[in-house]
Amino acid sequence: MNDTFRSGYVALIGEPNVGKSTLLNALLRQKISIVTDKPQTTRHKILGILSEPEHQIVFLDTPGIITPAYLLQEVMMQFAASAVADADIVLLLVDAVKAKEKRYAPDDQAVAKIRAANKPTFLVVNKIDLLTKEEVLPLLMELQMLFPFDEVVPLSAATGFNTRELVAAIVKYLPVHPPFYDTETVSDAQERFFVSEIVREKLFEQYKEEVPYSATVDIIEFKERGKGKFFIAADIIVERDSQKGILIGRQGAALKRLGAASRNAIENFLGHPVFLELHVKVRADWRGDRRWLSAFGYTSPD
Ligand SMILES: Nc1nc2c(ncn2[C@@H]2O[C@H](COP(=O)(O)OP(=O)(O)OP(=O)(O)O)[C@@H](O)[C@H]2O)c(=O)[nH]1
Ligand SMILES: [Mg+2]
């Protein structure tokens, strides 16, 4: 390594559903953070490492900023706050369409958080594939009034448009520092975390409204059984018997569908055949119980 190598932490912050996880995956050219069309998909601080010859950027994907209504959401907001605290640079993401329709400007909470952090802050206007060229410029002018952003970058995480430009802008602000992680490493999380997230993604895709929000996935067993075949047992935890019923479905049909979709995605991710066993359990009000939260991996940072 030479003395011009740059490395640092970059937090992705914004309201739910603006495309933070999609952007992380696009920047890494690899899917490490789950994406759905529903808000509040991400519940953790998810680290993704982009290593290039002259720099290493450690991205932190975070849960969308909301006013917490229960303990799980409070922990989610602590993850977002700790990402801002860890960051050398903060990216505030907004959804271009919502911002244009004014249903969605970067809300005061997110701006207040980054203002207090007093760090280089970029405004990233995502989903511009959904706007016409003529719509983009006036929108950027308007959004710049919100905060003295160091950079404003319109892009599309979905198509990849302008994502290289974002990386180039980030590199300008990165401190000179040796890489924090081995340059082969993409994340600090274990395979079993990604597997639990994949099942959670399928839950969001398959079930409506309350079930995905009341559910979490707990990996009970993860081991190689026989040659290159993995045995994975996971509990899906919900808060009430009625949710368990919905999850399982008539004669187990819904759970079977969930298992098949999850297994497929897990096999793609691991690159191995997988035997997946899912069980549904009820833990009343687990989202509001500190001990259950920590048992299921939602331990508040620091
Ligand atoms: N058209 C378009 N859709 C996008 C783009 N980026 C993300 N999306 C979609 O927006 C939705 C939300 O994306 P996510 O990446 O899960 O958003 P998020 O900000 O991580 O959401 P939370 O984790 O809930 O805070 C998904 O349906 C994505 O496919 C984009 O650039 N263009
Ligand atoms: Mg997300």
Side-chain angles (χ1 to χ4, degrees), residues 16-69:
N17 226 29
V18 297
K20 299 177 293 298
S21 303
T22 308
L23 180 60
L24 177 75
N25 296 336
L27 292 165
L28 298 184
R29 288 178 230 96
Q30 201 177 125
K31 182 160 176 183
I32 70 158
S33 195
I34 60 168
V35 168
T36 78
D37 59 5
K38 295 186 176 69
Q40 294 179 54
T41 300
T42 305
R43 289 183 183 161
H44 289 88
K45 179 170 72 174
I46 294 174
L47 191 142
I49 304 157
L50 180 66
S51 293
E52 290 184 335
E54 294 298 317
H55 58 258
Q56 181 179 73
I57 308 173
V58 184
F59 290 102
L60 304 170
D61 184 17
T62 64
I65 306 291
I66 48 168
T67 303

Side-chain angles (χ1 to χ4, degrees), residues 107-161:
D107 77 331
D108 294 337
Q109 292 187 68
V111 172
K113 272 199 169 74
I114 57 176
R115 200 181 283 278
N118 200 17
K119 294 180 175 182
T121 300
F122 297 7
L123 176 68
V124 174
V125 183
N126 188 30
K127 309 195 188 183
I128 63 156
D129 55 292
L130 300 174
L131 295 192
T132 64
K133 262 204 182 106
E134 295 70 40
E135 289 170 320
V136 175
L137 200 60
L139 176 65
L140 296 183
M141 308 277 282
E142 196 179 312
L143 289 171
Q144 286 192 45
M145 313 290 278
L146 288 166
F147 185 81
F149 295 106
D150 294 279
E151 303 276 338
V152 176
V153 185
L155 54 74
S156 167
T159 68
F161 174 76

Side-chain angles (χ1 to χ4, degrees), residues 187-249:
S187 188
D188 65 344
Q190 310 265 325
E191 276 181 337
R192 52 197 294 156
F193 171 73
F194 292 113
V195 167
S196 71
E197 287 287 274
I198 289 169
V199 180
R200 226 164 49 71
E201 182 181 66
K202 301 302 154 203
L203 274 162
F204 268 85
E205 286 173 4
Q206 192 173 314
Y207 300 91
K208 287 193 219 104
E209 282 146 42
E210 74 176 84
V211 169
Y213 294 102
S214 307
T216 191
V217 177
D218 189 22
I219 305 293
I220 303 299
E221 249 187 279
F222 187 116
K223 62 182 181 203
E224 204 168 342
R225 197 185 262 179
K227 231 189 183 162
K229 174 132 185 159
F230 280 76
F231 174 77
I232 300 172
D235 285 347
I236 300 171
I237 317 289
V238 288
E239 295 202 296
R240 282 195 292 278
D241 284 329
S242 59
Q243 294 159 348
K244 179 174 176 175
I246 295 169
L247 246 168
I248 293 173

